[in-house]
Amino acid sequence: MKRILILGASGLVGKAIAKECLNDFDVYGTYFSTATELAFDKQFQLNVQDGEVIREILQLTKPDIIVSSLRGDFEEQFNFHSLLANELKSTKSLLYYFSTTNVFDGDLSKHHNENDEPISKSDYGQYKIRCEKMLVESLGNRANIIRIPGIWGKNSPRFNDVKSKIESAMPIQAYSNLQCNFLLDIQLARQMRFIFENELKGIFHLCAVDMMEESEFYEELIHKLTNENINIQYNLYQNVETTHYFGLLSNRDDIPKSMKMTNKEIIAYLAQ
């Protein structure tokens, strides 16, 4: 049974992947402050500022697969991943690094696929680009990039925020000129298990197969959740009326269609 080490196993993404893989892999995970749902001897507290700890974890677990879904200070994370890459050079471990749509936020004239060159204006997107490049340069085809859009789930911060605002009759903010797509945590986890099982490599855009205006997504979700008249405040992205395209496209054909969803199917699942 292959060993998986999930860096950030207490977060939304890491938790979903750990749960999905428990029956088919030997799963280990790290957390920063809140312990994971893994067995006591399968989890480790990790601060990205402490390089010695990750060395000890790697030596103890000897993972075949490492998933990085960490959050935090950008420079600290970059330094951590640089150390991680250096530690992995002498191993055969595969690394799957979670990145973001924001690597393309410098060009909103179109949606982007895996072959497009990243260009970002935001600090977040620029950090992710820098980290992607460093990992690939260090580990070659053992460094795999997973780019994802906004993640939803039955207990995700986004969904909990919507439900809280519905209950308190607070307005919900949404962009009316931003086309994008989303992804479910459980959907992402199933796709990642398939990727692990088949040792797929490269850059992956994991996302809904279609696009919606962000405001339309929220309208349909709220309509399915309540009959109350909820105030949606429509905003213009970058304060201009021009449509902005902020979605991920995929030109890969190695993930089955049965594992993919539309934005409307995401909404239907959340509203169940």
Side-chain angles (χ1 to χ4, degrees):
M1 183 179 287
K2 289 187 175 181
R3 291 187 175 187
I4 294 181
L5 173 62
I6 301 173
L7 305 177
S10 60
L12 181 65
V13 168
K15 185 184 297 184
I17 294 173
K19 184 176 181 180
E20 178 67 26
C21 293
L22 273 178
N23 293 331
D24 301 299
F25 297 88
D26 188 12
V27 181
Y28 296 79
T30 72
Y31 64 94
F32 174 63
S33 58
T34 304
T36 76
E37 298 177 359
L38 297 169
F40 178 77
D41 60 346
K42 299 279 189 176
Q43 58 182 310
F44 311 90
Q45 189 168 24
L46 174 67
N47 187 327
V48 295
Q49 297 175 332
D50 191 347
E52 285 301 318
V53 173
I54 188 59
R55 289 190 184 98
E56 294 172 2
I57 294 172
L58 291 173
Q59 291 171 3
L60 181 64
T61 60
K62 294 180 172 58
D64 301 289
I65 297 167
I66 298 168
V67 176
S68 176
S69 60
L70 296 171
R71 295 177 295 176
D73 179 84
F74 299 154
E75 197 61 31
E76 289 178 357
Q77 281 204 66
F78 183 83
N79 292 336
F80 173 85
H81 284 96
S82 296
L83 185 151
L84 175 64
N86 189 58
E87 292 295 316
L88 295 181
K89 284 181 179 179
S90 60
T91 75
K92 295 182 179 179
S93 301
L94 295 178
L95 173 65
Y96 291 88
Y97 173 73
F98 273 90
S99 190
T100 170
T101 315
N102 289 81
V103 299
F104 298 110
D105 64 23
D107 178 12
L108 302 179
S109 65
K110 65 174 185 177
H111 303 303
H112 293 275
N113 63 41
E114 291 96 343
N115 292 333
D116 289 333
E117 189 69 22
I119 177 172
S120 175
K121 292 182 178 179
S122 68
D123 290 342
Y124 180 47
Q126 290 174 13
Y127 150 68
K128 286 292 188 180
I129 292 172
R130 184 180 169 213
C131 211
E132 286 184 13
K133 289 182 176 179
M134 179 274 295
L135 291 171
V136 172
E137 288 172 359
S138 298
L139 299 174
N141 66 1
R142 291 194 292 121
N144 305 282
I145 309 303
I146 313 295
R147 296 187 186 130
I148 55 175
I151 301 293
W152 292 80
K154 287 291 185 69
N155 196 34
S156 65
R158 283 183 175 85
F159 192 44
N160 288 337
D161 182 62
V162 168
K163 291 187 293 183
S164 174
K165 287 179 177 176
I166 289 175
E167 291 174 1
S168 58
M170 292 179 61
I172 294 175
Q173 308 285 331
Y175 290 114
S176 59
N177 64 333
L178 187 68
Q179 281 194 10
C180 54
N181 51 0
F182 296 102
L183 185 65
L184 279 175
D185 56 351
I186 60 168
Q187 175 193 3
L188 167 63
R190 290 168 185 162
Q191 292 174 339
M192 291 305 299
R193 177 167 58 85
F194 182 86
I195 289 170
F196 300 152
E197 289 173 340
N198 293 277
E199 295 186 359
L200 302 183
K201 297 180 180 180
I203 298 174
F204 299 83
H205 286 185
L206 303 183
C207 47
V209 297
D210 62 340
M211 305 293 169
M212 291 180 74
E213 300 287 350
E214 185 185 71
S215 56
E216 181 185 0
F217 185 94
Y218 277 88
E219 285 171 357
E220 293 201 18
L221 177 59
I222 293 167
H223 177 72
K224 288 184 177 294
L225 292 174
T226 180
N227 292 323
E228 299 294 326
N229 185 21
I230 302 300
N231 179 22
I232 300 178
Q233 291 187 351
Y234 297 93
N235 302 312
L236 289 175
Y237 188 74
Q238 296 188 348
N239 294 316
V240 294
E241 294 186 0
T242 305
T243 298
H244 293 85
Y245 302 93
F246 194 50
L248 292 175
L249 301 170
S250 180
N251 54 16
R252 300 186 67 119
D253 59 4
D254 47 5
I255 296 179
K257 291 183 179 179
S258 60
M259 292 187 175
K260 300 178 181 180
M261 299 177 74
T262 65
N263 284 299
K264 289 182 180 293
E265 287 172 331
I266 292 173
I267 292 170
Y269 168 82
L270 293 170
Q272 287 177 349

